[in-house]
Amino acid sequence: MRTVLPGKPQAKLQAVTTAQWLGKRLIAYISGNALVILGGPHDLIQTTYHDQCEELDAVIIDETSGKIATCSSDEIYVYKPYGREEGVPKWSLHLSLSQPDGYQEILTLSWGSEEELLVGFSGLRLHQTAKDNGRVIWDRKLKYPVMIASFSYDATLIASTGWHDRLVKLWRRQSFGLDDTRFDFTYLPHPTAITAIHWRRIPYHEHHRYEQRVDDVLFSICVDGKIRIWTSTDPHELQVMRLWAEIDMQLSLQPRRFGGSALSNEHYAFFIDSQVFTAAAASALEANAGNKDEVTHAIEHLREVAKMKSDVCVVLDRRGNMSAWGLDNVGCRVRKPTDIFNVAHLEDISLPFVEDAQGREDNVQFFNFSNEQSPSPFTLLIHHFDGRITWHESNLDELFDPSPRANRFYTRALWTGHNAPIRKIVRNGSGKALISRTDDSDGLVWKQNVQESAMLLIRQASLVSNEHIYRSCVVKDGDFILNLHLSRISLWNTQSLVAQEVASCALEPQSRPLTLLLIPTASPNSHIQYVAAITSKMSGILWEILLPPDGYSSPPLNNDVQSASIKEFCTFDVGTGDEMVTVLPIDPAGHASAAPSFLALSAKNVALSYDKSGTLYGWSASVDSNNYTIKWLVTTTVCTNIRDPSLAGGSSTGKVGLVDASKTNLTIWDMRNQHLEYDIAFGPQDTLQDLDWSLTPDQQSILAVGFRYQVSIIAQMRYDYLDAGSAWAPVREIRIRELTSHPIADSVWLGNGNFIVAAGSQLYVYDEDVSISDDMVVNLQVPIHKDETFNIFDLVSYLNGPLPLYHPQFLVQIILAGYWTRVARIVLALYEGLKFFMSGDELDSHLSLPLENFITGPEEEPTRTSSYTNAEGDEGPKPITEDMASTLNGLLKKLVLPYLTTIQQIHLASIIESVAVAEKQKQSMDSNAMRYHIFFSQHMLRKRHFRAKTMEISWREIVWASHSNCQDILVDLVSRQYHGRILWEHARESGMFMWLTELTALRAQFETIARNEYTKTDEKNPVNCSLYYLALKKKNVLLGLWRMAAWHREQTGTQRLLKNNFSEARWKTAALKNAYALLGKRRFEYAAAWFLLAGNLQDAVNICAHQIEDLQLAIAVARVYEGDESPVLRSLLTDKVLPQAAAEGNRWLATWAFWQLRQRHMAVRALIEPLSTLIKLSHIPDAETKSFLVHEPALIVLYKQLREKSLQPLKGALGVSSQAEWEFVIRSARQYDRMGCGLLALDLVRNWRFLSPSTESTADPLKQTRRRESLIQEHMPDETPTASHEKLTRKPAPTIFKEPEPSSLLDSFGF
């Protein structure tokens, strides 16, 4: 935690207390009904709320026991520490003491000896809290209420005084017994009313818990401006204390400058007890002990003062004048003139006094102590009665240095805030100002501290409204606040400590506005601002706010031209006809937005709305100041199918978080691309209640998800299509349960990455640093970092920023794009770069390769007879050999590369090894075969390295292989990977029977699998191969295998049955009976074999697809049994495969299925158009079909390849609208960018060529298109299953499609 704003301290004399308990400094204060316990400037230990009372009146800490006592007007609460042994002390309620009826309210508390607690009200009462449940051991009624009552440090004396009293009543203890506690008293007279008293602190080691007598010293301050010092007399004398000396505060301050402004009428004093002064001086002298050659006058002066071990009295005023007086030999009977001496007289002491404070708020209290753990050991706490506690630190040599100094105190913390529970926090667009508001419509305006200081937030102003505030809006970096009330809207100037209402405008009664929205202007710093209030009917009012120019303060109730004003500008009605559940302002997330020059779909959203059906609407707005209107435009619409959402939040980057009705499921949507990026379900006990967005400087998104007692911060991750990785991940958790009992009310980001949480009356400010040892960060596999913490912006930039060229994901995408020359260049450049590389060295993320080589257009792919060449036909890089790959992988095992984790380096090594293996086959394989070869080899390598379970290769690789003309080589590759013994599980893993196109080769491999399944066990069970041989219609082979299975108990019956002719109805019926009997025994694969024996392919396929749940087996059996034109196969593809592809959003599976059905035009359209428009579904598709994983960038590579392959796919491509193709290209480019492959995105938008209709009127689609290149190599009519090749002449240069939108491709993408 960076700092905490624990709440507004009470303006009471005993609102703050501090003590040293068992070596730990404790500070406690009361704020409203809350007891706040702290251990340092930013160390909040505990907050305890007392809901049974409205406010607390006093608090005190017992230095001996660590107990803390606090009280309301009629109740005392004593808290006892626990958990000190574990190093995390907490306090729990030990006992509660009620004020008897008839007594006035409790005003003061003080701890005595043996855990005795003195209570002051209209009398004095002494409780024993260690025993007897708070038993009263002494009680004395007084005529007037007690203002202050305090034990001396040896607990033998009590000093008490009343309000406006001129007498200090001094109570001397006569006995310490529980049953006989007696006090006598005497008076210490003063000429005027007493304002403060202070007992001199006695070090614990000096009085040894009161075992020996020490001299008590009492300091008193009166209205006459004099400090009186009282010392003990002989214990046998009647007068307990006598006046030892007086110090006139007015005369002690003697400023060097002249004039009326040099002096102040308000004077303050505090006392540095000798033990505090000695300890702080020793620390300062020790810190300078090593600089013997640079001993300053300040050090010499401090050394001389410290030798006397004197108490110090410090007097100061509001003008920065301060004098310090040493008190030596306090208590001696004969005071010498030298016993009071001047330590220092200083000017320009910078302490945060309020100049215009009035009444009680003008009061100030001081507390000081020595903190040896701080670089500046002297600590001064100042309790300002205007609602602040400030923590200042100093070195005594600097503080009392006689020479002029600029900064003698360093402010470490500011403790302030509200004294009632916070309801809402609203910030401005830049995240530099915010207002926190309570249920009572009391607000505090905060500004971010731009200086390097521990005080991250500075209280700008307090705002008190007599009317309830429904909505607030922060204007002009927090200088003005706009509040929406029931019947009017008000404008407040917050440039002074107390905000002033400067303008208002009536609001006619209508449906209550859902939001108050600041409409961006051409300049965020313009003195004219527009604010809109919008209702659920999407109608509302727009106000114009005229603010004074910079440098002017707006005086209230003034007709000066520089004053602020507000007026109704216009009313509007968007007129959608749909009622919205809510309308929300888009969170600028730390970056103030400017108004668009014109309304367009590409304009940034300013508002977000959603209806009951879960449809999201993004709104952009533009104010027409000439015509006094505002124009609204729906820029994006996303149907989420999430009914009755309960919560939403939108970012200016187009990201939207949406929470379902149960408040336990969170989804994150990309409004721009209209897809789902993240879906997570929380437990029923974790209800979501807040969403807050932030942006990094490079426009990466961060979302804070708020629960009752914790906040989970999740950040963008790069898209990962190969492993289907999550696009978002939690990076940090903030928990407040140990700090307070109140749940989180609201939270908000600051512009610099700091995060603010409001709970109860407190604000917790968390810094932007994330520990790399945090379990969440460790799970993200972030590379080793030289520091212990990551700035959250840097962490998110790593997780979602551009990838180095040698990153495995970048190499994979280049391979998918078919840029083989670039792959070779990267691998060779990495090989050269690692020759002399050592772990910890810098490695150029671009490997010193010219980036223009990556955006120069499509390169010539390697053919079966050519080597790598670049786009100009020049000779490319030298081939990657297996020896080179082995050397490089050896280096990767020993070295740690920047920006790569250990797992990513293993992936990189497997890619390099796969590329090297493919290099040997490049002359005999086409591009699609190369893709499959590399990815299947990498799949097998990763499987061996990580000992993963058997997984099927993705449909993406299956599609690549199915469009290859070198499938015989791929079959050999797969066979060698499994050492020549391919079982069905291997065939399914490789997808072999999905991509083999030749039926002869297909059946030959199926028979190979049948033999291998039969011989895979020593006993050679014919049941294992029955399905395969019967699919091949080789019953006799199976019968021969059964003859040899003499050991099998089913041999006799099976062999006898297989000898029959199953073309006869009788034996078909017998086979069906066996099949159903096997189904009942759940022997599904064997049952499917008997269905095939009965000639019932449909039931066999159904069993494979549904009971066995092996879709590949069902397709393979159908293809082997009846061929690719099988009605059963077509039915399976139409009724099972395509609906499954649509339900999953699997475009690869859909395009493969359409291609198998000979619907080549649909195979092309399935790559671009929504699958729900091409395939009929019996149910509404779920959110999975809208996932970002549906839109893989490699689809555009396949799309380009298919539209150039034959006439029928070309017809499908021509059936895609120009707008759809445009959006397809832009979306693919954005996907590349989200993957960290910005170079591929730029290459795509720079070099893509659209299909453009010709002006000629002809029915021939070949003559209706002009393209950059004519690469159509085969003409495949719809009705013929085999391809007929036709060579075409090269067409003229193409006409490039021009999108009618004003923005170009590069502009739309963001370059």
Side-chain angles (χ1 to χ4, degrees):
M1 189 189 306
R2 173 74 178 270
T3 187
V4 61
L5 299 168
K8 179 181 180 180
Q10 303 284 74
K12 299 186 177 183
L13 293 176
Q14 269 196 297
V16 183
T17 181
T18 180
Q20 186 85 2
W21 174 62
L22 298 181
K24 182 176 181 61
R25 173 58 54 177
L26 299 177
I27 303 98
Y29 77 89
I30 52 177
S31 173
N33 65 353
L35 168 64
V36 183
I37 307 172
L38 302 107
H42 312 297
D43 179 18
L44 177 64
I45 298 176
Q46 182 177 332
T47 303
T48 302
Y49 292 88
H50 303 77
D51 297 330
Q52 61 272 31
C53 65
E54 291 187 1
E55 65 176 21
L56 300 175
D57 295 308
V59 63
I60 193 73
I61 302 176
D62 183 12
E63 287 192 337
T64 306
S65 65
K67 287 184 176 180
I68 300 176
T70 185
C71 68
S72 62
S73 60
D74 58 355
E75 194 81 15
I76 303 169
Y77 309 94
V78 179
Y79 290 89
K80 186 176 182 179
Y82 67 93
R84 182 176 62 86
E85 293 78 6
E86 292 78 14
V88 186
K90 296 289 181 181
W91 278 257
S92 62
L93 185 63
H94 174 58
L95 59 89
S96 177
L97 306 173
S98 299
Q99 180 79 332
D101 296 335
Y103 284 78
Q104 293 186 359
E105 63 182 17
I106 302 171
L107 299 173
T108 183
L109 300 171
S110 181
W111 286 102
S113 64
E114 303 298 334
E115 302 182 26
E116 295 173 345
L117 180 63
L118 178 67
V119 181
F121 48 103
S122 57
L124 295 175
R125 184 186 301 119
L126 191 61
H127 293 268
Q128 175 51 255
T129 66
K131 303 175 182 177
D132 299 329
N133 200 23
R135 173 187 173 188
V136 177
I137 60 176
W138 180 69
D139 193 359
R140 183 70 177 265
K141 286 192 175 182
L142 301 175
K143 187 175 182 181
Y144 300 106
V146 176
M147 178 182 72
I148 306 172
S150 177
F151 264 115
S152 63
Y153 276 85
D154 61 0
T156 59
L157 299 174
I158 298 174
S160 66
T161 185
W163 297 96
H164 314 294
D165 201 344
R166 295 187 300 108
L167 299 174
V168 171
K169 185 171 287 187
L170 202 63
W171 304 82
R172 179 167 55 183
R173 191 161 193 162
Q174 300 297 316
S175 65
F176 283 87
L178 290 177
D179 298 324
D180 186 25
T181 301
R182 292 177 290 111
F183 288 85
D184 63 1
F185 68 90
T186 184
Y187 293 102
L188 301 180
H190 293 71
T192 57
I194 301 163
T195 59
I197 59 175
H198 169 78
W199 287 103
R200 184 178 70 171
R201 182 182 302 274
I202 301 173
Y204 181 79
H205 65 273
E206 288 187 9
H207 56 73
H208 296 287
R209 196 50 191 167
Y210 325 123
E211 291 180 359
Q212 63 180 18
R213 182 182 180 278
V214 294
D215 291 334
D216 291 310
V217 178
L218 179 69
F219 301 91
S220 62
I221 303 176
C222 295
V223 175
D224 62 0
K226 291 185 178 180
I227 301 169
R228 291 171 174 83
I229 305 169
W230 306 83
T231 61
S232 300
T233 61
D234 190 285
H236 301 289
E237 295 184 10
L238 293 177
Q239 188 67 23
V240 180
M241 304 191 81
R242 62 186 178 87
L243 181 65
W244 186 75
E246 291 183 354
I247 297 176
D248 191 320
M249 291 190 288
Q250 179 71 35
L251 296 178
S252 63
L253 295 175
Q254 300 176 4
R256 298 185 179 91
R257 60 180 184 275
F258 298 95
S261 62
L263 289 174
S264 172
N265 294 325
E266 295 86 4
H267 303 91
Y268 309 103
F270 64 89
F271 308 96
I272 307 176
D273 299 318
S274 61
Q275 64 146 340
V276 175
F277 185 86
T278 302
S283 297
L285 294 174
E286 183 179 355
N288 289 273
N291 301 329
K292 295 182 178 180
D293 298 334
E294 300 181 5
V295 177
T296 62
H297 178 62
I299 296 297
E300 290 292 345
H301 178 65
L302 179 62
R303 184 176 289 115
E304 292 299 321
V305 175
K307 287 180 181 179
M308 302 181 183
K309 297 185 178 180
S310 305
D311 300 299
V312 176
C313 173
V314 179
V315 181
L316 65 163
D317 63 11
R318 291 182 179 273
R319 306 297 183 190
N321 301 304
M322 187 181 84
S323 64
W325 300 87
L327 308 175
D328 195 17
N329 299 319
V330 178
C332 63
R333 290 186 173 274
V334 180
R335 179 173 63 85
K336 297 179 291 185
T338 57
D339 287 344
I340 300 179
F341 58 94
N342 183 260
V343 175
H345 186 86
L346 309 169
E347 295 180 350
D348 298 326
I349 301 295
S350 58
L351 291 174
F353 296 116
V354 179
E355 292 294 335
D356 53 353
Q358 302 294 329
R360 177 182 290 187
E361 293 186 354
D362 192 29
N363 198 6
V364 175
Q365 280 183 319
F366 297 88
F367 306 85
N368 63 86
F369 52 86
S370 175
N371 184 6
E372 298 179 358
Q373 299 177 354
S374 172
S376 303
F378 179 72
T379 301
L380 180 66
L381 289 181
I382 306 179
H383 174 205
H384 307 263
F385 277 44
D386 64 348
R388 295 175 296 142
I389 300 175
T390 53
W391 178 302
H392 308 273
E393 292 183 353
S394 178
N395 288 303
L396 288 186
D397 58 326
E398 298 177 357
L399 178 60
F400 296 133
D401 185 2
S403 58
R405 274 183 177 270
N407 296 314
R408 298 179 188 269
F409 281 105
Y410 304 94
T411 304
R412 289 287 308 278
L414 167 66
W415 296 335
T416 184
H418 297 271
N419 56 5
I422 299 171
R423 177 184 179 86
K424 186 66 177 174
I425 307 176
V426 180
R427 72 167 195 185
N428 69 334
S430 64
K432 296 180 180 178
L434 57 93
I435 178 173
S436 52
R437 202 176 67 231
T438 66
D439 283 327
D440 300 328
S441 296
D442 293 341
L444 288 177
V445 181
W446 308 85
K447 280 197 172 182
Q448 186 176 343
N449 190 2
V450 296
Q451 300 177 352
E452 290 294 331
S453 171
M455 291 194 307
L456 190 65
L457 284 181
I458 298 176
R459 193 177 75 173
Q460 168 91 350
S462 60
L463 186 151
V464 180
S465 174
N466 296 325
E467 300 177 69
H468 183 72
I469 300 174
Y470 291 97
R471 298 286 187 272
S472 295
C473 186
V474 182
V475 183
K476 202 177 181 180
D477 286 338
D479 291 340
F480 293 89
I481 300 293
L482 199 67
N483 290 324
L484 180 66
H485 309 282
L486 181 62
S487 59
R488 69 188 186 102
I489 187 169
S490 60
L491 181 66
W492 298 70
N493 184 347
T494 60
Q495 298 179 68
S496 57
L497 289 177
V498 179
Q500 301 291 328
E501 183 178 342
V502 294
S504 68
C505 187
L507 177 65
E508 295 184 3
Q510 55 180 350
S511 59
R512 190 197 305 175
L514 295 175
T515 188
L516 197 62
L517 181 64
L518 185 65
I519 306 298
T521 56
S523 172
N525 297 320
S526 172
H527 68 284
I528 298 178
Q529 300 286 326
Y530 297 94
V531 175
I534 308 175
T535 67
S536 61
K537 299 292 186 181
M538 293 307 295
S539 62
I541 304 173
L542 182 69
W543 290 279
E544 181 184 68
I545 304 173
L546 179 63
L547 302 175
D550 293 339
Y552 288 90
S553 176
S554 177
L557 305 178
N558 187 307
N559 293 325
D560 187 88
V561 295
Q562 303 298 343
S563 62
S565 65
I566 181 173
K567 68 177 182 179
E568 184 176 319
F569 187 77
C570 68
T571 59
F572 58 87
D573 188 352
V574 178
T576 61
D578 299 324
E579 183 171 356
M580 300 296 168
V581 175
T582 191
V583 183
L584 304 166
I586 288 293
D587 195 340
H591 301 271
S593 56
S597 56
F598 59 90
L599 278 182
L601 295 178
S602 59
K604 283 192 174 183
N605 293 333
V606 298
L608 170 73
S609 66
Y610 60 85
D611 56 22
K612 292 183 179 180
S613 67
T615 302
L616 301 173
Y617 301 88
W619 298 86
S620 182
S622 177
V623 177
D624 187 350
S625 57
N626 296 325
N627 298 318
Y628 291 90
T629 59
I630 181 173
K631 298 177 182 179
W632 295 88
L633 177 66
V634 179
T635 57
T636 52
T637 303
V638 178
C639 182
T640 66
N641 297 326
I642 298 176
R643 300 289 302 178
D644 299 320
S646 59
L647 183 65
S651 168
S652 57
T653 58
K655 309 297 181 185
V656 174
L658 190 66
V659 179
D660 68 349
S662 66
K663 295 187 176 181
T664 58
N665 185 266
L666 169 68
T667 54
I668 298 179
W669 299 81
D670 186 336
M671 292 283 286
R672 182 181 298 175
N673 294 314
Q674 301 183 3
H675 59 227
L676 175 67
E677 289 195 339
Y678 191 59
D679 188 353
I680 184 172
F682 299 94
Q685 71 280 2
D686 298 326
T687 57
L688 288 86
Q689 59 184 28
D690 194 20
L691 300 174
D692 298 290
W693 288 95
S694 181
L695 280 183
T696 67
D698 55 349
Q699 301 294 296
Q700 312 290 348
S701 296
I702 309 173
L703 176 62
V705 183
F707 302 89
R708 280 180 57 82
Y709 291 99
Q710 69 182 51
V711 177
S712 178
I713 297 177
I714 58 178
Q716 277 184 294
M717 303 277 286
R718 298 183 192 93
Y719 285 169
D720 183 359
Y721 291 97
L722 294 179
D723 298 325
S726 175
W728 294 77
V731 297
R732 185 179 188 183
E733 270 200 358
I734 294 172
R735 300 178 183 271
I736 68 163
R737 196 66 183 262
E738 296 180 354
L739 302 176
T740 177
S741 58
H742 267 244
I744 296 174
D746 202 2
S747 56
V748 73
W749 289 94
L750 292 181
N752 61 350
N754 293 101
F755 189 68
I756 299 178
V757 176
S761 60
Q762 300 176 331
L763 292 174
Y764 304 91
V765 184
Y766 292 86
D767 58 23
E768 66 277 16
D769 292 331
V770 179
S771 174
I772 62 173
S773 60
D774 190 283
D775 290 341
M776 292 185 174
V777 179
V778 171
N779 292 336
L780 294 176
Q781 300 175 353
V782 176
I784 299 174
H785 196 268
K786 61 181 179 180
D787 300 322
E788 295 181 356
T789 59
F790 255 122
N791 182 290
I792 191 168
F793 287 168
D794 296 336
L795 176 62
V796 175
S797 295
Y798 163 76
L799 295 175
N800 193 38
L803 293 171
L805 295 185
Y806 53 83
H807 195 282
Q809 174 150 285
F810 188 82
L811 284 173
V812 163
Q813 293 305 316
I814 291 183
I815 292 170
L816 286 173
Y819 293 149
W820 309 106
T821 305
R822 298 175 190 179
V823 174
R825 286 198 177 105
I826 292 173
V827 173
L828 291 172
L830 181 64
Y831 177 75
E832 295 295 330
L834 295 185
K835 282 184 176 179
F836 305 101
F837 179 83
M838 299 293 291
S839 296
D841 293 349
E842 292 293 330
L843 184 63
D844 183 14
S845 60
H846 297 143
L847 300 174
S848 302
L849 293 173
L851 295 185
E852 56 269 17
N853 290 349
F854 291 85
I855 55 174
T856 53
E859 59 189 343
E860 182 183 341
E861 294 184 353
T863 64
R864 303 183 188 183
T865 57
S866 65
S867 60
Y868 288 126
T869 56
N870 59 23
E872 291 74 22
D874 298 333
E875 191 66 24
K878 61 182 180 181
I880 302 171
T881 64
E882 291 189 12
D883 291 340
M884 182 187 300
S886 176
T887 303
L888 188 53
N889 289 350
L891 293 172
L892 291 175
K893 292 178 181 178
K894 296 185 296 183
L895 302 175
V896 178
L897 270 60
Y899 310 110
L900 292 187
T901 64
T902 303
I903 294 179
Q904 288 168 349
Q905 287 197 192
I906 294 175
H907 290 177
L908 175 60
S910 68
I911 291 173
I912 294 172
E913 185 174 343
S914 301
V915 169
V917 173
E919 176 73 20
K920 296 191 302 183
Q921 304 287 341
K922 73 175 187 295
Q923 293 185 357
S924 56
M925 289 196 298
D926 58 17
S927 182
N928 289 329
M930 290 276 285
R931 291 185 179 97
Y932 181 87
H933 187 174
I934 289 176
F935 282 100
F936 182 70
S937 299
Q938 186 186 1
H939 168 81
M940 298 302 294
L941 287 170
R942 292 173 66 178
K943 179 181 174 182
R944 289 198 298 268
H945 280 141
F946 300 106
R947 302 182 183 275
K949 295 181 180 179
T950 301
M951 295 176 58
E952 302 172 14
I953 202 164
S954 73
W955 282 97
R956 176 185 57 244
E957 278 66 62
I958 291 174
V959 170
W960 293 127
S962 67
H963 290 291
S964 171
N965 296 323
C966 309
Q967 293 178 352
D968 53 339
I969 299 177
L970 298 182
V971 169
D972 182 62
L973 163 70
V974 173
S975 179
R976 282 189 282 109
Q977 286 287 351
Y978 298 113
H979 310 291
R981 289 184 56 82
I982 301 181
L983 301 176
W984 172 250
E985 61 178 302
H986 303 144
R988 182 176 58 238
E989 184 179 5
S990 64
M992 176 187 296
F993 291 93
M994 301 301 101
W995 48 258
L996 273 173
T997 56
E998 291 292 334
L999 285 177
T1000 303
L1002 182 79
R1003 289 174 175 140
Q1005 291 303 317
F1006 209 70
E1007 188 170 1
T1008 301
I1009 289 177
R1011 289 195 299 269
N1012 294 335
E1013 288 288 342
Y1014 174 70
T1015 59
K1016 70 179 180 181
T1017 60
D1018 293 337
E1019 58 188 13
K1020 295 182 174 61
N1021 192 346
V1023 173
N1024 296 337
C1025 62
S1026 295
L1027 177 62
Y1028 306 97
Y1029 277 119
L1030 293 177
L1032 290 163
K1033 300 180 181 178
K1034 294 189 177 183
K1035 185 193 71 170
N1036 292 330
V1037 176
L1038 182 62
L1039 179 59
L1041 298 179
W1042 273 109
R1043 289 195 186 102
M1044 294 183 289
W1047 58 271
H1048 204 291
R1049 63 188 180 90
E1050 298 176 358
Q1051 183 206 26
T1052 304
T1054 305
Q1055 184 178 353
R1056 184 171 59 250
L1057 189 58
L1058 287 177
K1059 290 179 180 179
N1060 298 297
N1061 183 7
F1062 286 90
S1063 60
E1064 298 178 7
R1066 172 190 173 187
W1067 300 113
K1068 283 186 179 181
T1069 303
L1072 287 175
K1073 288 181 179 180
N1074 272 351
Y1076 287 119
L1078 291 168
L1079 275 179
K1081 297 179 180 179
R1082 304 188 65 81
R1083 296 174 67 181
F1084 297 127
E1085 184 176 317
Y1086 200 29
W1090 283 95
F1091 275 118
L1092 289 178
L1093 190 61
N1096 195 337
L1097 175 63
Q1098 184 67 63
D1099 286 342
V1101 167
N1102 289 340
I1103 290 175
C1104 294
H1106 297 100
Q1107 276 72 29
I1108 303 178
E1109 296 182 346
D1110 191 339
L1111 184 60
Q1112 287 197 35
L1113 181 60
I1115 295 172
V1117 168
R1119 294 185 68 192
V1120 170
Y1121 193 84
E1122 287 187 350
D1124 288 340
E1125 299 303 317
S1126 166
V1128 175
L1129 175 62
R1130 298 181 70 85
S1131 175
L1132 177 64
L1133 295 176
T1134 304
D1135 300 334
K1136 170 69 176 176
V1137 176
L1138 286 176
Q1140 177 179 327
E1144 297 174 355
N1146 192 334
R1147 294 183 181 274
W1148 297 102
L1149 178 57
T1151 189
W1152 176 87
F1154 278 127
W1155 198 269
Q1156 289 294 322
L1157 289 169
R1158 299 295 187 264
Q1159 299 177 22
R1160 308 298 166 83
H1161 63 293
M1162 296 294 289
V1164 174
R1165 293 176 60 188
L1167 300 175
I1168 298 181
E1169 299 180 9
L1171 296 181
S1172 58
T1173 64
L1174 304 176
I1175 305 168
K1176 291 183 179 180
L1177 289 174
S1178 59
H1179 62 279
I1180 299 175
D1182 56 18
E1184 185 182 1
T1185 63
K1186 299 179 182 293
S1187 171
F1188 73 95
L1189 295 172
V1190 174
H1191 307 288
E1192 186 174 351
L1195 290 168
I1196 202 169
V1197 180
L1198 180 62
Y1199 169 75
K1200 181 179 178 183
Q1201 183 182 121
L1202 292 185
R1203 78 178 188 183
E1204 298 171 348
K1205 191 168 187 178
S1206 65
L1207 179 59
Q1208 194 183 17
L1210 178 58
K1211 287 182 178 179
L1214 289 173
V1216 176
S1217 67
S1218 300
Q1219 180 67 28
E1221 185 176 359
W1222 171 279
E1223 293 174 355
F1224 183 42
V1225 174
I1226 295 301
R1227 183 177 62 226
S1228 299
R1230 287 175 179 153
Q1231 308 300 82
Y1232 274 134
D1233 187 54
R1234 279 286 271 116
M1235 296 174 70
C1237 305
L1239 287 174
L1240 287 174
L1242 184 57
D1243 173 76
L1244 175 63
V1245 297
R1246 175 172 176 172
N1247 299 301
W1248 182 261
R1249 295 296 181 266
F1250 292 88
L1251 292 177
S1252 178
S1254 172
T1255 57
E1256 299 177 9
S1257 177
T1258 176
D1260 188 354
L1262 294 178
K1263 297 180 179 179
Q1264 288 181 348
T1265 59
R1266 284 189 244 155
R1267 298 160 40 229
R1268 187 184 57 152
E1269 295 174 340
S1270 278
L1271 299 179
I1272 301 176
Q1273 297 176 350
E1274 60 178 313
H1275 188 139
M1276 187 177 296
D1278 294 355
E1279 61 276 4
T1280 57
T1282 57
S1284 60
H1285 298 274
E1286 178 182 357
K1287 295 196 176 182
L1288 304 173
T1289 57
R1290 186 174 298 272
K1291 301 294 182 182
T1295 302
I1296 300 174
F1297 167 73
K1298 294 185 178 179
E1299 175 64 25
E1301 293 289 339
S1303 301
S1304 69
L1305 270 171
L1306 295 178
D1307 293 335
S1308 295
F1309 180 57
F1311 288 104

